[in-house]
Amino acid sequence: MSNRRPYVRSMDGWWKRDAYFIRYMAREVTAVFVAAYAIVLLFGLVRLAQGEAAFNGWLQYLKTPWMLVFHLIVLGTFVYHTWSWFNIMPKTMPIMFVGGKRVQPGTITGSGIAAAVVACLAVLLIVKGMHP
Amino acid sequence: MKRSNEPIFWSLFGAGGMLAALIGPALVFITGIAVPLGLIYAPDTMSYNNMLAFAQNWAGKLVMFGVVALFLWHAAHRIAILLHDFGVHAVAAVKLFSYGGAFLGTVIAGYALLAVGF
Amino acid sequence: MEVFQADVAIVGAGGAGLRAAIAVAETDPKLKIALISKVYPMRSHTVAAEGGAAGVTRTDDSLDYHFDDTVHGGDWLCEQDVVEYFVAHAHEELVQMEHWGCPWSRNDDGHVNVRAFGGMKIERTWFAADKSGFHMLHTLFQTSIKYPSIKRFDEYFCTDLMVEDGRCQGVLAIQIATGEFTLIEAKAVIIATGGAGRVFRENTNGGIVTGDGMALAYRHGVPLRDMEFMQYHPTCMPGTGLLFTEACRGEGGFLLNKDGYRYLQDYGLGPAEPTPRNKAMELGPRDRLSQAFWHEKKKGRTIEGPHGAVVNLDLRHLGAAKLHERLPLICELAEEFLGVDPAHTPIPVLPAVHYTMGGITADGKTAAPLPGLYSVGECSSVGIHGANRLGSNSLTELIVFGKVAGVEAAKFAKSMAISNPGAIKKQAEAAQARALGVVTRSDGKERLAVLRTEMAQSMEDGCGIYRLQADMQATCDKLRELRERYKNLKIDDHSKVYNTEWLLGIELGYLLEVAEAIIYSALNRKESRGSHQRLDGYEKRDDVNFLKHSLAYYTGDGAPRIEYGEVKITKSKPGTRAYGAAGEKAAAEEREREGAGNG
Amino acid sequence: MADAEKIIEIEVLRYRPEQDKEPVLQTYKVPFTDDMSVLQGLQYIKDYLDGTVSFRWSCRMAICGSCGMMIEGKPKLSCKTFLREYYPQGLRVEALAHLPIERDLVVDAADFVAKLERIKPYIIPKEARTLEQGEYLQTPQQRDMYEQFSSCINCMLCYAACPQYGLNPKFTGPGVLALLHRYNADSRDGGQDERMKLGYADEGFWGCTAVGYCSEVCPKGVDPANAINQNKMNSAINYFTRFVTPGRADK
Ligand SMILES: Cc1cc2nc3c(=O)[nH]c(=O)nc-3n(C[C@H](O)[C@H](O)[C@H](O)COP(=O)(O)OP(=O)(O)OC[C@H]3O[C@@H](n4cnc5c(N)ncnc54)[C@H](O)[C@@H]3O)c2cc1C
Ligand code: SF4
Ligand code: F3S
Ligand code: FES
């Protein structure tokens, strides 16, 4: 007998409604590239287990233009992943105080990205060091 | 309310995400660009012998396993959410596809690393 | 019509109503409580209070000081026995709020911090930054969720009281979402509907502060007491009337005229000193500060802004850090609404209507002359504010007397049964027809907003900071006319679901009647006291004839009948109300007199 | 007003359940001055153009939380959003996204309030204390741990911002979870275990995918995204350690 008829709006295409949502979806889509890269590596592992010929085939495959282009794209998405990962980092951490002062979100993101730069450089150098 | 089992997947997601954020770009650059193109690194950096030696070493095994498996779990979690975000509400199917895939990849990686011996 | 049976019905879920509901629930968990509010409880206007709540806390303070400040501040029109009860229970109620989780601001040692407030001798105002009312309201609302016996009727608009067998036995309310009526039978009813600031044009009050409960009680023969005492707050935003809390001055803000001069020293509030001194200069009481503004304007020493004359509230010397810690909301308001950063630019301010000192007549235990009816909060005149309320006494009033109302109503409800439900049902049906009448009148011509605007303007003209016989009479006539035109109201909206225009129409009826009670009480009070100041030969306080409460009685379509009631004086004989250096001198003399008397 | 009157077009998403099958847009021309808020624009419409437009408001000062709506697609408080920002192109206002429209700009808030009630939003004392014993001691820093989360005005803008709530209304949602954390983080409170039962559920913290838009739109700097996401770590630790930590109520 009530005249109420609350209207529920559709969520179709919600992620197109706001630039913020598009950025969020871009962040989430990086996962597809992380998966693809992991699968490439996984193939390498399997090939490695299968012996030298198999593994060299994989290495050759990496040199094809398709794979190079693919990896360039993957590199881009990884960099975006790093940036967005540390960008939400302040949200995932408890409120912290250093010397009685609240640690600002910018500081957390900044330190995260700095840590990533250092870690990447370290990896690059270690690998270089192992096989000069 | 029922306790969620998300912590298992979320922890793996988080670990993988952190690993990818910290060293992901460097790894992609080395394995996908620099070495195939012969830039910076020695041509034999990823040769069969070098990689075999690395994979036979316990620390090397751990690194390779960690990277592949955690990247997969990280991705699987986000892909599951992505499907949900796009309106795929078949929860069981989504989970089977994403986490099932990550699980399969993990098993294969483990098997391969065992197969290369010590 | 749905019927709900409650033991205690509470109309209004602001600070007062919520505190009362908790008190009933704690008194006896078996009592069924109906808590009715036309907005979700956390939207109630208590949410807007900024400064804080007073209660004697420091060791150098005393109950007597708080008593004296309150009674002097109220120009001796307070019920002194009630004030005594009030100051004695303020602290424990504030501690109770703390136990319930209110995030009071703290000292480094972990104790609650107190700040200075206008007209208060010692710092005793508990505060939660400058969101004290917000935090108190949310704390009370959230705490109330703990009690299963409190059944909330959120977004139910109360349209009448059910009075049968000489006592109040329930209320009728519209469920706003459906437009359907619910009869809530109750053995005791508490009205806690807040003030009536919206009868004036420029005010600090929310859109919902329309005097509903006052009008309801008034219509049922309960007199409205001391309604002429409307408080102007000296520091409000031009155009909107939004409040810049008194705490701005408590923290050390200055009021400057167009020459950058702290003009309050010319009005018996000096001397001007660089740091705040309690009860002097900017920390004088609100009526005095608003009156000083009026005089400055007359002398042409105010600044002309787009919304009329203003003076400057200067906070620059406090520094950005302190401003953001102590007055974050003020900074936000100034920046967003005026584009002013208080750390670098003074804020333009003017006085606006802020608080309704009078209200539904209540004894010290919140009981109305009508059995079964209680009132508490701003809608009530329990007797502590007299002719002028001191800032930060009102939030404390909500919790001290909210508890009293709950306990008393519970006691009454337990001793009673609903009598004659059939007759109550009939009354409810008649009341429903009246309420529907507002919207179904299809031949009306008068536009709601026009009537409301004319009323508010006329109240401001006739009943402002200073009052004149002729102006007041003009307002009386205007209201007469408006009440007539109101019968010819035109409502566009004839639907049932969330019909806000209908509710605005009913509210306008409440506003007009409360406005009449105000203006007639003012017209008849031929003296100047507290916030009621006349310039037509009655500039002085007249204790011989007017140390009395005004009582406005409803007479249907006619003008209210004004009578007078006694004021309870216990230990403070009427004296001069002085502030600044003059106040200190007066206090010293009083002490001397008392000393001599004792000796 | 002195300056020549400017006119702005306000498009309002109307929905009157008794006559409209679905929401429709209606345009009004409103004269305005630079200090007028969107709310004041709507009030002008209601007062002088069309009394049937329904919306909630009260305080006009961004503290009562009534007046949230979508303004040009963004969740905002209409009382502190100004018309001048949309001049001359005009603006569209709609009821808050993701919530059922009751009527015009009024949404049904019942779900939000029911969720709020469920999280036990009150102090469950760690140690009992009588009034005579006075207040609990709490240092300014202890207060800072929860103060921000206690500033929520229940405006529901974050619900209109959170796609996860839109996709799955069972999700407790940002504002309420921030309040859950507010009480958990209060040094006086000992009710964590009880409240966390809700937090640990799929409908609790785990319904959030860290979109973060909730914090972006929050008019009071509550940062609900932080309240939720910092608890994911706690929840995970609890999940794995619950069998080894003695005396946990929530095994
Ligand atoms: C801007 C501002 C700042 C202030 N600052 C301070 C301060 O610092 N210190 C201080 O002590 N005091 C202050 N005050 C005064 C104080 O806040 C108020 O007097 C007090 O909050 C009133 O509380 P209340 O519970 O009586 O009413 P409210 O909080 O106004 O609540 C009224 C309730 O009644 C309900 N209601 C009304 N009519 C109906 C109806 N017809 N049907 C159903 N329900 C209805 C409403 O929905 C609401 O729930 C301030 C006031 C304002 C406006
Ligand atoms: S968290 Fe912020 S946006 Fe959400 S309801 Fe509270 S105040 Fe509003
Ligand atoms: S937008 Fe929603 S998904 Fe989480 S971070 Fe905020 S609650
Ligand atoms: S009207 Fe109160 S928040 Fe906008």
Side-chain angles (χ1 to χ4, degrees):
Chain A
M1 94 147 237
S2 161
N3 290 307
R4 285 179 76 177
R5 214 155 47 77
Y7 185 88
V8 178
R9 286 159 285 179
S10 155
M11 283 299 282
D12 289 349
W14 64 269
W15 51 275
K16 287 179 286 194
R17 282 183 209 152
D18 201 298
Y20 199 96
F21 294 152
I22 295 175
R23 282 202 297 281
Y24 160 74
M25 283 308 234
R27 180 186 97 192
E28 297 296 289
V29 166
T30 57
V32 175
F33 295 89
V34 174
Y37 179 65
I39 290 169
V40 170
L41 293 186
L42 183 61
F43 260 91
L45 270 187
V46 172
R47 287 297 189 228
L48 189 68
Q50 286 171 345
E52 182 157 10
F55 187 73
N56 283 340
W58 181 74
L59 277 181
Q60 281 311 312
Y61 183 60
L62 289 187
K63 289 184 183 159
T64 59
W66 282 117
M67 281 314 275
L68 285 166
V69 171
F70 165 79
H71 275 112
L72 270 175
I73 298 171
V74 170
L75 181 60
T77 60
F78 265 72
V79 170
Y80 186 73
H81 167 75
T82 301
W83 180 81
S84 61
W85 186 262
F86 290 113
N87 220 19
I88 48 163
M89 184 90 156
K91 302 265 172 265
T92 61
M93 306 211 336
I95 296 178
M96 288 183 309
F97 294 89
V98 171
K101 274 229 173 76
R102 174 99 179 253
V103 180
Q104 292 301 306
T107 318
I108 299 175
T109 301
S111 327
I113 291 178
V117 170
V118 170
C120 280
L121 282 176
V123 170
L124 294 174
L125 290 175
I126 290 168
V127 173
K128 182 80 189 162
M130 279 161 62
H131 308 284
Chain B
M1 259 183 227
K2 226 179 92 233
R3 184 189 271 274
S4 172
N5 290 318
E6 274 293 295
I8 300 173
F9 304 108
W10 178 81
S11 305
L12 291 167
F13 153 80
M18 186 57 95
L19 194 64
L22 285 174
I23 62 166
L27 286 181
V28 176
F29 178 73
I30 296 170
T31 70
I33 296 165
V35 172
L37 283 179
L39 304 171
I40 307 171
Y41 293 103
D44 69 340
T45 302
M46 278 167 65
S47 69
Y48 176 72
N49 287 335
N50 276 343
M51 292 318 283
L52 190 66
F54 189 62
Q56 283 176 338
N57 173 298
W58 67 266
K61 267 195 205 323
L62 196 69
V63 169
M64 288 170 135
F65 182 74
V67 166
V68 172
L70 288 177
F71 278 21
L72 282 173
W73 283 102
H74 167 76
H77 185 72
R78 275 203 164 155
I79 287 168
I81 291 173
L82 206 56
L83 288 169
H84 152 86
D85 285 350
F86 278 123
V88 183
H89 292 311
V91 179
V94 165
K95 286 202 167 148
L96 191 69
F97 169 71
S98 53
Y99 299 135
F103 182 71
L104 195 66
T106 308
V107 171
I108 295 174
Y111 180 77
L113 283 166
L114 289 178
V116 295
F118 291 85
Chain C
M1 185 186 301
E2 268 186 56
V3 181
F4 180 85
Q5 273 149 355
D7 292 292
V8 180
I10 302 171
V11 187
L18 286 164
R19 182 67 187 88
I22 295 172
V24 179
E26 293 205 323
T27 305
D28 184 347
K30 286 199 291 296
L31 292 174
K32 253 201 288 178
I33 303 155
L35 180 58
I36 305 138
S37 172
K38 63 180 175 182
V39 294
Y40 278 100
M42 63 281 190
R43 319 284 185 223
S44 304
H45 203 56
T46 297
V47 81
E50 298 168 359
V56 170
T57 303
R58 287 174 27 159
T59 46
D60 57 349
D61 199 0
S62 79
L63 297 182
D64 280 340
Y65 287 162
H66 192 187
F67 173 91
D68 283 339
D69 288 344
T70 303
V71 173
H72 293 209
D75 229 348
W76 281 272
L77 207 63
C78 307
E79 293 292 278
Q80 294 188 4
D81 53 341
V82 183
V83 176
E84 274 180 68
Y85 179 87
F86 168 69
V87 298
H89 290 81
H91 184 262
E92 75 182 32
E93 275 303 316
L94 290 165
V95 172
Q96 176 67 78
M97 289 300 297
E98 196 279 337
H99 287 192
W100 282 335
C102 191
W104 299 118
S105 294
R106 306 281 178 157
N107 290 319
D108 286 337
D109 66 2
H111 283 287
V112 169
N113 198 355
V114 286
R115 67 161 43 132
F117 238 68
M120 298 283 190
K121 184 182 169 79
I122 307 277
E123 289 82 340
R124 61 169 78 97
T125 297
W126 292 40
F127 63 100
D130 54 0
K131 296 186 211 166
S132 309
F134 162 82
H135 280 304
M136 286 177 70
L137 183 68
H138 280 250
T139 301
L140 284 166
F141 169 55
Q142 289 165 11
T143 301
S144 79
I145 291 171
K146 198 161 66 176
Y147 301 92
S149 58
I150 301 176
K151 157 104 175 104
R152 284 204 324 272
F153 291 82
D154 294 339
E155 298 200 327
Y156 276 68
F157 183 101
C158 183
T159 64
D160 212 344
L161 305 177
M162 301 296 114
V163 180
E164 187 60 39
D165 287 341
R167 62 189 172 96
C168 189
Q169 302 204 50
V171 302
L172 183 69
I174 303 168
Q175 181 181 15
I176 301 177
T178 60
E180 303 296 340
F181 287 78
T182 300
L183 166 62
I184 295 158
E185 292 179 352
K187 297 163 192 164
V189 173
I190 302 174
I191 299 186
T193 51
R198 286 262 149 188
V199 298
F200 286 82
R201 193 179 65 92
E202 197 129 44
N203 64 72
T204 65
N205 287 191
I208 58 173
V209 188
T210 48
D212 303 11
M214 297 179 185
L216 292 179
Y218 180 56
R219 285 175 189 176
H220 284 278
V222 177
L224 298 183
R225 186 162 78 182
D226 294 339
M227 291 301 286
E228 64 273 41
F229 299 103
M230 290 297 302
Q231 179 166 76
Y232 272 77
H233 195 294
T235 54
C236 303
M237 189 187 292
T240 56
L242 296 182
L243 178 73
F244 294 111
T245 171
E246 187 155 303
C248 293
R249 288 168 282 130
E251 298 295 342
F254 295 150
L255 279 173
L256 307 177
N257 67 11
K258 87 168 192 239
D259 309 317
Y261 172 69
R262 289 174 70 193
Y263 58 90
L264 293 174
Q265 56 192 294
D266 296 354
Y267 300 92
L269 290 154
E273 291 163 328
T275 50
R277 177 206 285 258
N278 293 327
K279 296 179 77 168
M281 289 301 287
E282 282 82 2
L283 285 178
R286 293 175 181 174
D287 53 343
R288 289 294 170 81
L289 266 58
S290 298
Q291 289 152 17
F293 172 90
W294 189 92
H295 288 291
E296 283 294 289
K297 186 174 161 191
K298 269 264 133 86
K299 292 180 195 159
R301 301 204 303 199
T302 49
I303 305 156
E304 224 20 68
H307 296 280
V310 297
V311 289
N312 276 330
L313 173 63
D314 189 355
L315 303 172
R316 288 174 298 181
H317 53 288
L318 301 180
K322 183 162 180 187
L323 286 174
H324 284 110
E325 184 212 325
R326 294 297 189 88
L327 303 166
L329 185 66
I330 294 312
C331 296
E332 196 184 308
L333 283 176
E335 263 156 52
E336 276 167 9
F337 286 81
L338 299 172
V340 163
D341 176 359
H344 297 112
T345 321
I347 311 172
V349 295
L350 48 65
V353 164
H354 181 56
Y355 186 84
T356 320
M357 259 81 70
I360 303 167
T361 307
D363 65 16
K365 302 211 146 141
T366 74
L370 176 66
L373 186 69
Y374 299 80
S375 74
V376 66
E378 194 171 335
C379 67
S380 170
S381 170
V382 73
I384 62 168
H385 303 310
N388 172 56
R389 169 187 73 111
L390 289 192
S392 78
N393 263 355
S394 159
L395 286 174
T396 310
E397 173 188 16
L398 305 182
I399 49 179
V400 170
F401 292 102
K403 178 174 177 187
V404 173
V407 170
E408 293 296 316
K411 214 190 299 169
F412 187 87
K414 287 214 281 201
S415 69
M416 286 287 159
I418 293 286
S419 66
N420 216 344
I424 294 175
K425 188 86 202 278
K426 274 222 186 66
Q427 265 194 43
E429 275 156 12
Q432 168 172 347
R434 275 196 302 279
L436 285 171
V438 176
V439 78
T440 49
R441 238 177 263 160
S442 51
D443 50 346
K445 287 190 197 57
E446 295 287 351
R447 208 165 171 93
L448 208 161
V450 173
L451 296 188
R452 199 177 54 216
T453 313
E454 287 185 24
M455 168 197 69
Q457 186 62 52
S458 143
M459 285 302 284
E460 183 168 295
D461 295 344
C463 213
I465 297 176
Y466 282 101
R467 298 160 178 185
L468 294 162
Q469 165 88 21
D471 293 350
M472 284 189 278
Q473 189 56 54
T475 300
C476 290
D477 299 343
K478 182 75 189 179
L479 290 177
R480 201 89 297 280
E481 171 207 318
L482 290 173
R483 278 187 73 187
E484 219 30 62
R485 284 164 66 193
Y486 174 71
K487 294 182 182 150
N488 199 19
L489 192 65
K490 175 179 187 300
I491 298 281
D492 295 342
D493 194 342
H494 295 268
S495 66
K496 293 193 122 183
V497 174
Y498 226 94
N499 183 344
T500 48
E501 199 191 13
W502 176 24
L503 306 181
L504 289 172
I506 300 175
E507 281 173 354
L508 179 60
Y510 297 149
L511 284 167
L512 285 168
E513 286 169 27
V514 172
E516 269 198 338
I518 295 174
I519 192 75
Y520 279 93
S521 304
L523 187 66
N524 282 281
R525 182 173 285 277
K526 298 198 168 80
E527 65 156 350
S528 291
R529 181 188 297 271
S531 68
H532 175 70
Q533 295 290 319
R534 300 182 63 140
L535 293 173
D536 50 1
Y538 304 109
E539 285 83 353
K540 290 245 146 50
R541 198 174 80 193
D542 175 0
D543 286 335
V544 178
N545 296 304
F546 286 102
L547 187 56
K548 292 204 178 84
H549 295 299
S550 331
L551 299 169
Y553 285 89
Y554 184 70
T555 64
D557 275 348
R561 183 176 81 246
I562 305 296
E563 295 180 7
Y564 290 93
E566 291 308 311
V567 178
K568 177 88 174 177
I569 309 274
T570 57
K571 55 185 187 190
S572 175
K573 299 279 170 288
T576 19
R577 212 177 140 228
Y579 293 91
E584 281 170 22
K585 193 160 146 250
E589 281 166 15
E590 193 171 319
R591 266 197 304 277
E592 224 159 80
R593 267 203 315 276
E594 275 168 17
N598 291 342
Chain D
M1 239 120 279
D3 46 340
E5 263 189 1
K6 288 187 277 191
I7 307 274
I8 192 166
E9 279 194 8
I10 305 184
E11 230 181 339
V12 181
L13 189 73
R14 301 295 310 273
Y15 174 64
R16 288 146 293 184
E18 290 147 275
Q19 66 183 81
D20 300 330
K21 264 205 135 58
E22 53 184 46
V24 287
L25 285 165
Q26 194 170 345
T27 308
Y28 300 93
K29 288 191 168 52
V30 176
F32 82 104
T33 49
D34 277 349
D35 57 357
M36 260 171 84
S37 62
V38 173
L39 175 64
Q40 284 172 299
L42 290 168
Q43 286 169 334
Y44 182 89
I45 294 173
K46 187 163 188 77
D47 284 352
Y48 300 108
L49 306 178
D50 181 353
T52 69
V53 182
S54 281
F55 48 92
R56 292 186 178 104
W57 67 280
S58 176
C59 70
R60 313 163 288 145
M61 53 187 278
I63 192 76
C64 76
S66 318
C67 70
M69 53 189 74
M70 306 302 284
I71 301 177
E72 281 293 290
K74 311 260 182 219
K76 292 188 174 200
L77 294 180
S78 58
C79 68
K80 71 161 202 173
T81 308
F82 293 87
L83 288 172
R84 57 173 186 263
E85 292 164 37
Y86 303 95
Y87 187 75
Q89 68 277 17
L91 68 156
R92 177 185 293 182
V93 295
E94 299 159 74
L96 282 178
H98 307 155
L99 296 148
I101 307 182
E102 184 83 78
R103 151 100 188 240
D104 297 339
L105 301 172
V106 176
V107 292
D108 183 353
D111 178 55
F112 173 84
V113 175
K115 283 174 175 157
L116 175 62
E117 290 173 352
R118 221 173 292 143
I119 55 140
K120 301 185 197 270
Y122 38 79
I123 296 280
I124 299 170
K126 198 184 286 172
E127 38 185 284
R129 202 174 168 87
T130 63
L131 293 183
E132 292 72 40
Q133 288 172 297
E135 75 259 40
Y136 290 91
L137 295 188
Q138 185 170 67
T139 62
Q141 198 175 69
Q142 284 175 318
R143 182 177 180 272
D144 282 349
M145 294 306 286
Y146 71 89
E147 193 271 344
Q148 159 193 340
F149 305 110
S150 74
S151 336
C152 170
I153 61 173
N154 299 356
C155 65
M156 300 186 290
L157 297 194
C158 52
Y159 283 73
C162 175
Q164 297 309 338
Y165 178 70
L167 289 164
N168 173 21
K170 287 208 187 105
F171 171 39
T172 310
V176 170
L177 288 171
L179 267 172
L180 184 156
H181 181 67
R182 172 253 178 273
Y183 281 99
N184 280 355
D186 192 315
S187 58
R188 296 166 287 190
D189 187 84
Q192 288 82 355
D193 289 347
E194 281 178 54
R195 273 183 222 106
M196 278 306 225
K197 277 183 201 145
L198 280 121
Y200 294 152
D202 278 331
E203 298 83 2
F205 306 127
W206 302 111
C208 163
T209 61
V211 176
Y213 198 34
C214 52
S215 294
E216 199 81 2
V217 304
C218 176
K220 293 287 147 185
V222 172
D223 201 351
N226 175 256
I228 299 173
N229 286 287
Q230 65 166 287
N231 272 296
K232 287 185 182 164
M233 182 60 85
N234 299 340
S235 309
I237 292 172
N238 177 281
Y239 184 90
F240 294 114
T241 58
R242 68 199 140 136
F243 303 109
V244 291
T245 319
R248 269 225 122 91
D250 52 19
K251 276 192 182 166

